[in-house]
Amino acid sequence: MEEIRTLSPRDPNFHAYLLGTFSKTHRALPVKSLNLIDGDEHVTFQIAPVSELRRPSPLKIGMQLVRVPSLMTSLFPLLISWVFLEQRSIEVHKNLALMALVGVGFLHIAVHLLNDFRDHMKGYDGLSPYRGSRVIQEGWMTAQRVRIIGWSFFSLALLVGLYAIWSKPTLVVILFGIGSLGGVASYSASSFGLKYWGLAEPALFLLLGPALTIGFSSVVADAWDLSLFLIGCGLGALVSLNHYLKNLIDMMGQWKQGFRSLPILLGFDRAKRAPLLFLAVMILSFALAAISTEFSETLSSAVLISLIFAISILKRVFRARSCFSSLLPQTQRAGLLFYLSISFTLLVGFLIQGTQSGG
Amino acid sequence: MVGRFTNKKVGFAGRQRGYGVDFGMRMKNIKIYSLGDFPAYLPKLNLLYDDLFSGGKGLRSRLVALVGDALDLKESTVMLLCQTIEFIHNASLLHDDLIDRSPLRRNRTTAWLKYTPEYAVLAGDYLLARVMVNLAAFGNLELIQLTSQMISDLLEGEWIQDSLVRDWEITLEDLDRVHNLKTGSLFKWCLLAPFVAVGSVDSEVKRSLENAGTILGQLFQRGDDLLDFDVRNSEKKMVLGDLKAGYLNSFGVFLSGRLSGVQKQEFLKSQSMSDVFSSLGESYFQDRLCEFDRMNTRMIALYGHHVMTLKGHLCESGMSLIENLLELPQNLYWRKR
């Protein structure tokens, strides 16, 4: 039999329940609230024995925790840049490239886990069901453990960054390290983060787009290329679009919590048209990249795939009649598939081209 | 029980109409509306209201009276609150019927059809305006704020629900959020408003009442949605009305969640319960109903928990209120008479 308990922030056990450290045999699952949270929020927990919780396999929990598809949005620009440089026969500092890949990956995981932890502790995810990995809410892992794992990944990312600077102590490597940390902080810090000012999409466009591709190529090859910048713009536009769709779905929760996301600033009907802009930037970027590489097969394919996906995404978004429409989560899933397809096409295409030119 | 309240202060004296349907709750039947309440010189207004208020269970006003009596509120205040909630609820019905183009309400021709759509809109607006006039005269700013928020939530819910017509992939989670705005907000108000009318409400009591009211609204809505599938339908409500109007209600979402594409298409075309059973299989229907009930039993436990947290904050006379509130899901969800 599950027990229900409501605790006030003044209760001495309040934080132990939130963190999940109050018991080794039970989990305190926060009950979803449909009411607006305030500054002095009590939390109602369903106390459930760990043995009775339905848990997926550890692999699935791990994948959910690190949010693999989201992680790929940090890693794909680096991998694509790497194979692109190799394909162009530009010498790549392989150890450094590997470190950048691992460091950025660790940082991405750390930021998401610490965001999950913060949202849980502040009760944000009660009102917005689309937030986060939900491993804490489902009782698969305690908040305390998520925090520890988050800070562990952050420490590992720092160590990798420091090792990279030690192995190649140049200004550009130091700037890439500081830029990564500064970018994350400027994006998600609760006091001044860009995502709280309706600027999440432009910030993501830069951070997970051209800044990543150009930063990476400057670090590992002391070179940068216009095509790589344009590829970064295309990928950045697509990441921004996916994030934008998430904000579009979560408009009501964000509005009630006073967030100023881009869809809220635009209003639903104008917000529905904005994906057109993201897609135009993406298609234009890939098209220009294709032109700059004298119509490489890979980039030409990317343009074609973009056009097909863009039409399907726009058709769904335009038909949505409110942020509650089931078409929007479908569009978001299509957007993610879109990102993975484009990235995979670029990665494999450049690999094949590299092998052919190498042969 | 009829004619319990006559309130000259807010002008409700005169011919009154009662709510005769016993919904099984230990709540009083309250007369809400009299012809003298509305300007006699407005064409069709009184006739329209006469039709509108002559049916219905007065469920929400009885809930208000249940709480108000436990708090020893003056009769005039209870009357004001009961009238407020019934006016708002009926205004929403006037608008709702027009939006849904429903031909019948409480087995009578709906106002927009019997009169005109324009009259139905204006009559609904007028009820909302009367609410604000009456509350302003009462002079409790917190009550006005609470009521305005409830009206705002209700309208938001209406607005969003309209956007979900023929959306067959809606999730239960999203539907709950819509129902919280549309139905939960009114139940929340019913529990909270009498406390606010007494004076300042302790924040913990307020939170418990809000949570309990929200859940009660969800339970009522889910119970109501089951009637649409002829489950515990002792009220003999029209079957599959929601589905035929292009609206997948909470049980519809729950039922169709595990269906294959083809099965779902068959289910959505259902015109009668035998169509539903032939598309899903009767045993599947019963299994899902049991699961739905189990899920809502957990919700009832949560509701009970929130009601029980009031215990430490109410005086001895308030204990009977807790008992009565704990019984409500029996009527509102299980529809026991």
Side-chain angles (χ1 to χ4, degrees):
Chain A
M1 182 76 182
E2 286 178 348
E3 186 193 340
I4 303 168
R5 200 169 289 180
T6 299
L7 295 179
S8 97
R10 292 185 296 280
D11 191 296
N13 291 323
F14 183 71
H15 277 92
Y17 273 78
L18 268 185
L19 288 170
T21 53
F22 72 102
S23 163
K24 286 192 171 150
T25 55
H26 288 71
R27 289 263 196 277
L29 312 178
V31 173
K32 267 182 294 180
S33 168
L34 287 164
N35 291 315
L36 188 58
I37 54 170
D38 57 35
D40 183 32
E41 180 62 9
H42 288 46
V43 180
T44 300
F45 298 99
Q46 217 142 20
I47 315 294
V50 176
S51 55
E52 287 179 18
L53 289 172
R54 274 191 211 161
R55 287 158 65 95
S57 67
L59 179 70
K60 192 170 175 207
I61 295 175
M63 283 174 68
Q64 185 116 345
L65 191 68
V66 301
R67 285 186 260 174
V68 175
S70 162
L71 176 63
M72 296 318 288
T73 60
S74 281
L75 298 185
F76 264 131
L78 303 183
L79 287 166
I80 290 165
S81 304
W82 191 347
V83 291
F84 181 82
L85 293 168
E86 295 272 8
Q87 176 245 333
R88 294 230 148 175
S89 308
I90 298 169
E91 199 183 335
V92 172
H93 191 308
K94 287 195 174 53
N95 278 345
L96 213 50
L98 209 59
M99 274 185 270
L101 208 61
V102 173
V104 167
F106 284 170
L107 189 61
H108 183 109
I109 294 171
V111 169
H112 280 82
L113 292 184
L114 294 173
N115 260 338
D116 275 1
F117 174 76
R118 187 182 60 187
D119 285 352
H120 167 70
M121 296 302 280
K122 289 189 180 279
Y124 288 158
D125 32 19
L127 205 61
S128 296
Y130 297 100
R131 273 171 193 260
S133 65
R134 304 204 71 78
V135 293
I136 303 173
Q137 289 73 20
E138 299 292 337
W140 299 338
M141 207 172 265
T142 63
Q144 172 77 334
R145 180 164 287 188
V146 170
R147 175 163 69 172
I148 292 170
I149 298 173
W151 281 116
S152 305
F153 271 105
F154 188 79
S155 309
L156 286 171
L158 270 185
L159 280 177
V160 171
L162 288 172
Y163 181 72
I165 292 170
W166 177 77
S167 65
K168 192 186 173 190
T170 60
L171 184 63
V172 78
V173 177
I174 295 169
L175 281 177
F176 185 74
I178 294 172
S180 303
L181 286 176
V184 165
S186 66
Y187 174 71
S188 62
S190 54
S191 48
F192 56 88
L194 293 169
K195 73 171 177 179
Y196 301 107
W197 295 92
L199 295 171
E201 287 79 7
L204 280 177
F205 169 76
L206 280 176
L207 288 173
L208 296 177
L212 213 47
T213 53
I214 294 304
F216 178 82
S217 69
S218 306
V219 166
V220 303
D222 295 319
W224 74 278
D225 186 288
L226 176 66
S227 317
L228 211 48
F229 171 80
L230 290 166
I231 291 169
C233 289
L235 292 174
L238 198 42
V239 174
S240 308
L241 172 69
N242 284 335
H243 186 80
Y244 179 84
L245 291 171
K246 201 168 79 174
N247 281 338
L248 194 63
I249 294 168
D250 197 20
M251 268 180 96
M252 189 177 103
Q254 293 182 345
W255 169 268
K256 300 232 179 245
Q257 289 175 65
F259 283 7
R260 274 174 284 188
S261 65
L262 191 54
I264 283 176
L265 293 176
L266 291 171
F268 185 75
D269 287 307
R270 270 197 293 269
K272 255 176 31 168
R273 293 197 287 270
L276 197 60
L277 180 70
F278 291 99
L279 291 166
V281 170
M282 181 199 63
I283 292 168
L284 191 67
S285 301
F286 286 137
L288 289 174
I291 294 167
S292 72
T293 53
E294 292 164 358
F295 298 100
S296 87
E297 285 169 18
T298 305
L299 282 162
S300 304
S301 312
V303 175
L304 195 67
I305 294 172
S306 300
L307 280 169
I308 296 167
F309 268 101
I311 291 166
S312 114
I313 281 181
L314 289 175
K315 261 167 69 177
R316 284 198 182 101
V317 176
F318 286 169
R319 274 170 47 212
R321 293 170 62 202
S322 75
C323 62
F324 282 77
S325 168
S326 62
L327 286 166
L328 291 178
Q330 287 172 21
T331 314
Q332 202 199 356
R333 286 193 289 275
L336 191 62
L337 185 66
F338 186 6
Y339 185 91
L340 296 176
S341 309
I342 284 279
S343 300
F344 198 70
T345 305
L346 292 174
L347 193 65
V348 174
F350 290 141
L351 263 176
I352 294 168
Q353 277 180 279
T355 316
Q356 284 169 347
S357 60
Chain B
M1 217 174 282
V2 257
R4 185 168 174 271
F5 300 105
T6 49
N7 183 354
K8 291 197 171 74
K9 190 179 168 193
V10 285
F12 301 125
R15 190 161 68 86
Q16 297 185 320
R17 291 192 171 273
Y19 291 90
V21 182
D22 179 13
F23 200 57
M25 280 175 283
R26 296 207 306 238
M27 295 181 201
K28 290 161 178 157
N29 291 317
I30 297 149
K31 288 186 171 186
I32 291 299
Y33 153 73
S34 74
L35 279 181
D37 291 342
F38 302 108
Y41 50 83
L42 294 181
K44 297 209 170 49
L45 190 72
N46 282 294
L47 281 176
L48 191 153
Y49 286 153
D50 222 14
D51 282 340
L52 182 69
F53 286 95
S54 59
K57 297 178 282 285
L59 175 67
R60 291 156 191 80
S61 54
R62 286 191 286 155
L63 186 53
V64 167
L66 180 80
V67 182
D69 285 352
L71 296 177
D72 271 337
L73 277 188
K74 281 199 289 187
E75 287 197 353
S76 58
T77 309
V78 175
M79 182 60 190
L80 170 71
L81 298 178
C82 291
Q83 196 182 46
T84 298
I85 196 68
E86 286 301 328
F87 278 14
I88 293 170
H89 174 57
N90 280 287
S92 81
L93 297 184
L94 283 172
H95 291 165
D96 213 13
D97 287 338
L98 176 59
I99 292 167
D100 298 343
R101 301 288 187 272
S102 305
L104 290 173
R105 166 73 59 187
R106 297 164 184 160
N107 294 322
R108 289 160 178 256
T109 308
T110 43
W112 72 275
L113 265 181
K114 185 168 179 183
Y115 302 92
T116 63
E118 291 81 356
Y119 277 132
V121 171
L122 291 172
D125 290 349
Y126 192 79
L127 283 176
L128 296 178
R130 284 309 313 169
V131 162
M132 284 304 146
V133 169
N134 294 342
L135 287 181
F138 186 66
N140 181 329
L141 194 60
E142 204 182 336
L143 189 59
I144 296 175
Q145 193 180 14
L146 184 74
T147 310
S148 314
Q149 185 59 51
M150 181 252 285
I151 296 173
S152 161
D153 285 347
L154 176 68
L155 292 176
E156 264 186 51
E158 288 280 358
W159 204 291
I160 294 169
Q161 189 169 4
D162 186 55
S163 74
L164 298 178
V165 174
R166 307 222 157 267
D167 190 335
W168 307 120
E169 304 297 329
I170 182 84
T171 62
L172 191 57
E173 202 156 37
D174 278 340
L175 213 52
D176 280 347
R177 295 202 294 160
V178 178
H179 290 159
N180 180 43
L181 291 169
K182 242 194 103 177
T183 316
S185 60
L186 271 76
F187 280 85
K188 204 160 65 180
W189 188 93
C190 292
L191 297 189
L192 196 50
F195 281 85
V196 173
V198 171
S200 172
V201 188
D202 175 82
S203 64
E204 286 189 27
V205 173
K206 188 178 172 199
R207 190 168 289 114
S208 297
L209 291 167
E210 278 183 348
N211 285 329
T214 301
I215 298 171
L216 204 56
Q218 296 280 8
L219 289 169
F220 171 75
Q221 185 64 56
R222 289 188 177 181
D224 208 51
D225 290 349
L226 283 171
L227 301 182
D228 208 52
F229 287 91
D230 212 18
V231 176
R232 301 189 275 271
N233 189 8
S234 54
E235 297 163 46
K236 300 288 168 216
K237 262 197 155 181
M238 191 174 82
V239 173
L240 296 186
D242 288 339
L243 197 62
K244 286 178 199 165
Y247 177 64
L248 206 51
N249 68 26
S250 61
F251 189 57
V253 169
F254 195 77
L255 262 182
S256 62
R258 290 186 190 164
L259 299 179
S260 67
V262 180
Q263 260 186 318
K264 191 165 180 171
Q265 285 310 314
E266 278 294 304
F267 164 66
L268 295 176
K269 280 185 222 155
S270 301
Q271 292 295 312
S272 64
M273 282 311 292
S274 55
D275 290 347
V276 171
F277 292 141
S278 70
S279 65
L280 306 176
E282 202 164 342
S283 66
Y284 173 86
F285 182 90
Q286 293 302 338
D287 287 349
R288 291 300 278 166
L289 175 60
C290 286
E291 275 183 62
F292 193 68
D293 283 343
R294 262 200 299 276
M295 180 175 75
N296 292 321
T297 304
R298 286 198 293 274
M299 204 193 263
I300 291 170
L302 188 60
Y303 165 77
H305 165 79
H306 288 304
V307 170
M308 289 306 285
T309 56
L310 291 170
K311 214 170 186 176
H313 301 276
L314 297 177
C315 57
E316 212 165 295
S317 63
M319 294 305 127
S320 64
L321 173 65
I322 290 180
E323 276 173 34
N324 287 333
L325 289 178
L326 288 174
E327 278 181 29
L328 288 178
Q330 291 296 321
N331 310 112
L332 297 182
Y333 181 72
W334 296 107
R335 305 283 163 154
K336 287 187 182 159
R337 282 176 175 272

